[in-house]
Amino acid sequence: MVRIPFKRLFLIIKMYPPQVGYFRPESLGEALEFLEREEAKVLAGGQSLIPMLKLRVLRPKYLVDIGGLKELSYIKEGDTISIGATTRHFELASRRIRGLEILQEAASKVGDVQVRNVGTIGGSVCNADPAADYPAVLTALDATMKVRSKKGTREVKAHDFFKGPFSVDLNPGEVLEEIRIPRLEGYRQTYRKVVRRAGDFALAGLALAIKLDSGVVKDVRIAFTGVSQGPHRAKEAEKVLRDSKLTKDVIKRASEASTSGANPPSDSRGSSWYRLEVMKRLLQTSLEVMANES
Amino acid sequence: MKVEPDQKVRINVKVNGVLHEAEVEPRKLLVDFLRDDLGLTGTKVGCDTTTCGACTILLDGRSVKSCTLLAVQAHGREITTIEGLSSDSKLSPVQEAFKDNFALQCGFCTAGMIVQATFLLSQKKDMTEEEIRDSIHGNICRCTGYQNIVNAIMDASRRMKA
Ligand SMILES: Cc1cc2nc3c(=O)[nH]c(=O)nc-3n(C[C@H](O)[C@H](O)[C@H](O)COP(=O)(O)OP(=O)(O)OC[C@H]3O[C@@H](n4cnc5c(N)ncnc54)[C@H](O)[C@@H]3O)c2cc1C
Ligand code: FES
Ligand code: FES
């Protein structure tokens, strides 16, 4: 018989985060100052961080709580849309932005109502779960991340920012301040995801933006989530579609091409093969809808 | 506000209209603060992993899962728990509707469901069955099969309009 020590048993029943210090800055400047000096982790909504603390995947000395910083919570509209890092999912889910309709659609599919009430876009982006929803959207739309530290500001393209599962281009002391997304006016946009159970992370998700002129594809952006180490931009499929009409044959070839370079995991939610099939179907049916509408 | 890992932090939180001042470790979960420190055991812990919604409370009027927030994150803010929905032993319309529609069996999910339904109805009075089902998917019930819960929420919405 395996004997579980009493203390271990207790941990299994109820999970507590490890001992940790806490800092609540009054401004972003104060947060950057603190992060420069101390071994600390940013806390935004906590919807990914607190579960990780409970599992002891992370053991920072301090948490720097930027969740209440008003200066980081905003949506500014211009030719580019600028979104503050601590803007909450529900705020994005309840705002239709012209030329960026896809963001509302993606935000309203994150987790559940309670998670959307607390979780932030910056937190989701920095957490970089390989099945998260925003990274695919930001990759498809060539968004730019504005990163701040005490030393200064730098900008990173989405394509370079997402480095792998739970890994982004952020150095110690750096905070994601803002996400900038170009406004794609005149594009049809859609974000769709397939889940096994309500509230699950995506088995596969598709971000699609397409510009048609008399039925001919002028521009198209396709990125998937859940099918690789990070967001998967389907360049091959884009190539098939560009300057073509959305005929049955073109759609079929684009869907087949979309899996080129994808490397989906096999896990309890679905096999790698199944995820590839879901990808093709997602793209095919989305394109069919758009072809019928035009 | 800066607290060392081995220190406690003083927080002010208004819970169900009453201002509480308390000292907690920064790592203390909000649900443990409510249940263990304030004795408000109406809020339940089902999964402890942000999945089941039994721990749902209102933070500044919006529903959140209190097993996945730190007590210190609630500093300076307002909380409503299931205990705060009724006054002078008079049930709220949502509570009445749950009772009248037999929307509970073991009752473990009920506090979270009622708080979540209260939040949803504060945002939108007229929800379709589809919308209700979609917006309670962060609340799991192992007993009822959900039908009576959905009925109760629709009924509550009618009562609140009447
Ligand atoms: C039940 C459940 C279901 C979910 N379902 C989905 C889903 O379907 N799709 C989906 O995409 N997500 C899902 N999520 C995750 C959700 O989107 C989280 O809200 C998000 O991943 C984290 O946001 P947060 O603000 O809570 O960040 P936190 O948990 O506070 O932080 C997450 C990480 O990012 C870092 N961080 C946060 N903000 C910054 C910043 N500005 N600069 C630098 N680093 C920062 C933190 O240090 C931490 O490492 C789900 C979560 C739960 C609990
Ligand atoms: S106990 Fe918080 S969601 Fe289950
Ligand atoms: S009534 Fe038993 S879990 Fe819902």
Side-chain angles (χ1 to χ4, degrees):
Chain A
M1 200 182 90
V2 186
R3 286 196 47 202
I4 302 173
F6 181 68
K7 222 175 125 195
R8 281 271 300 286
L9 192 66
F10 206 71
L11 270 179
I12 293 167
I13 295 166
K14 181 82 181 68
M15 295 186 293
Y16 294 97
Q19 243 184 12
V20 66
Y22 179 84
F23 178 64
R24 186 186 283 201
E26 298 290 331
S27 65
L28 177 60
E30 242 184 66
L32 296 174
E33 187 91 29
F34 191 88
L35 283 162
E36 184 75 16
R37 273 184 287 121
E38 302 284 354
E39 185 230 316
K41 194 99 186 111
V42 170
L43 171 70
Q47 299 304 286
S48 297
L49 183 53
I50 294 174
M52 284 193 191
L53 291 173
K54 285 184 181 182
L55 294 169
R56 317 271 155 139
V57 180
L58 295 170
R59 306 197 64 158
K61 186 160 179 217
Y62 295 97
L63 299 176
V64 179
D65 187 355
I66 62 166
L69 290 182
K70 295 254 171 353
E71 64 183 294
L72 284 182
S73 175
Y74 54 84
I75 303 170
K76 287 184 200 150
E77 296 200 38
D79 287 342
T80 26
I81 318 291
S82 305
I83 299 168
T86 63
T87 308
R88 300 197 133 71
H89 305 316
F90 84 85
E91 292 170 290
L92 296 168
S94 54
R95 171 112 162 229
R96 193 174 173 78
I97 303 171
R98 194 169 40 81
L100 190 58
E101 293 83 1
I102 192 171
L103 194 65
Q104 180 183 34
E105 210 182 341
S108 60
K109 288 177 180 162
V110 172
D112 53 45
V113 170
Q114 290 97 318
V115 170
R116 293 198 291 273
N117 277 340
V118 196
T120 67
I121 183 168
S124 171
V125 166
C126 294
N127 192 52
D129 190 301
D133 298 306
Y134 298 114
V137 173
L138 302 182
T139 301
L141 271 54
D142 291 322
T144 303
M145 314 296 154
K146 187 177 165 202
V147 174
R148 267 281 283 281
S149 72
K150 189 141 181 286
K151 299 192 190 84
T153 304
R154 63 189 181 100
E155 294 190 353
V156 193
K157 285 269 173 220
H159 172 74
D160 301 314
F161 189 76
F162 298 106
K163 294 202 300 190
F166 305 101
S167 163
V168 294
D169 182 11
L170 274 183
N171 301 312
E174 285 186 328
V175 167
L176 174 66
E177 180 181 5
E178 184 179 277
I179 298 160
R180 292 186 183 149
I181 316 174
R183 199 196 277 276
L184 292 188
E185 233 162 322
Y187 284 66
R188 306 247 172 101
Q189 311 182 355
T190 186
Y191 182 79
R192 293 174 66 203
K193 72 180 193 182
V194 172
V195 294
R196 283 294 294 268
R197 296 170 310 189
D200 266 357
F201 274 93
L203 190 66
L206 163 69
L208 171 66
I210 193 165
K211 186 174 183 142
L212 294 168
D213 187 2
S214 350
V216 177
V217 178
K218 286 289 154 210
D219 188 25
V220 59
R221 320 288 187 81
I222 305 169
F224 289 90
T225 191
V227 301
S228 267
Q229 304 280 305
H232 167 66
R233 181 84 182 253
K235 290 269 188 195
E236 292 300 315
E238 292 179 4
K239 246 187 251 164
V240 173
L241 291 167
R242 204 162 280 129
D243 299 320
S244 299
K245 286 205 164 184
L246 289 180
T247 60
K248 249 198 154 102
D249 175 56
V250 167
I251 291 177
K252 182 113 187 47
R253 279 194 291 127
S255 308
E256 292 295 330
S258 70
T259 58
S260 164
N263 180 22
S266 278
D267 60 26
S268 59
R269 284 182 277 157
S271 68
S272 183
W273 170 84
Y274 183 64
R275 282 185 157 94
L276 291 172
E277 292 302 306
V278 172
M279 279 177 78
K280 290 187 233 168
R281 272 312 195 133
L282 268 174
L283 185 59
Q284 187 194 330
T285 51
S286 306
L287 288 171
E288 278 167 3
V289 169
M290 292 188 173
N292 286 337
E293 278 174 0
S294 63
Chain B
M1 179 195 271
K2 183 185 170 197
V3 198
E4 297 303 323
D6 55 357
Q7 275 180 357
K8 287 194 170 182
V9 49
R10 178 164 287 281
I11 59 171
N12 292 308
V13 191
K14 203 172 196 181
V15 183
N16 301 331
V18 181
L19 191 64
H20 292 270
E21 218 181 270
E23 292 212 330
V24 297
E25 279 187 90
R27 64 163 162 171
K28 179 158 228 148
L29 297 171
L30 183 54
V31 70
D32 295 331
F33 172 68
L34 294 170
R35 287 178 53 86
D36 301 346
D37 296 5
L38 303 187
L40 296 170
T41 52
T43 303
K44 302 294 182 235
V45 180
C47 65
D48 206 9
T49 58
T50 343
T51 311
C52 75
C55 64
T56 301
I57 57 148
L58 300 181
L59 182 62
D60 289 338
R62 301 197 75 91
S63 61
V64 301
K65 294 178 175 177
S66 60
C67 71
T68 309
L69 280 172
L70 301 172
V72 62
Q73 284 178 282
H75 171 59
R77 303 174 71 177
E78 265 185 56
I79 287 175
T80 306
T81 66
I82 185 76
E83 288 91 345
L85 294 182
S86 51
S87 50
D88 299 332
S89 62
K90 191 175 169 316
L91 297 181
S92 77
V94 182
Q95 289 173 312
E96 283 286 352
F98 267 64
K99 182 166 77 92
D100 295 347
N101 288 277
F102 304 98
L104 57 146
Q105 287 178 24
C106 80
F108 204 82
C109 71
T110 310
M113 283 286 184
I114 288 178
V115 172
Q116 176 65 1
T118 304
F119 168 69
L120 296 173
L121 292 169
S122 77
Q123 300 292 301
K124 192 168 178 207
K125 290 278 170 297
D126 283 301
M127 277 185 292
T128 61
E129 173 161 353
E130 182 78 19
E131 283 174 314
I132 293 174
R133 284 186 184 274
D134 187 48
S135 41
I136 60 169
H137 81 226
N139 294 74
I140 292 173
C141 176
R142 293 270 95 140
C143 306
T144 63
Y146 301 97
Q147 190 55 54
N148 285 357
I149 292 176
V150 175
N151 291 347
I153 298 174
M154 294 208 280
D155 187 18
S157 135
R158 279 191 295 273
R159 287 170 199 232
M160 288 163 78
K161 273 188 294 181

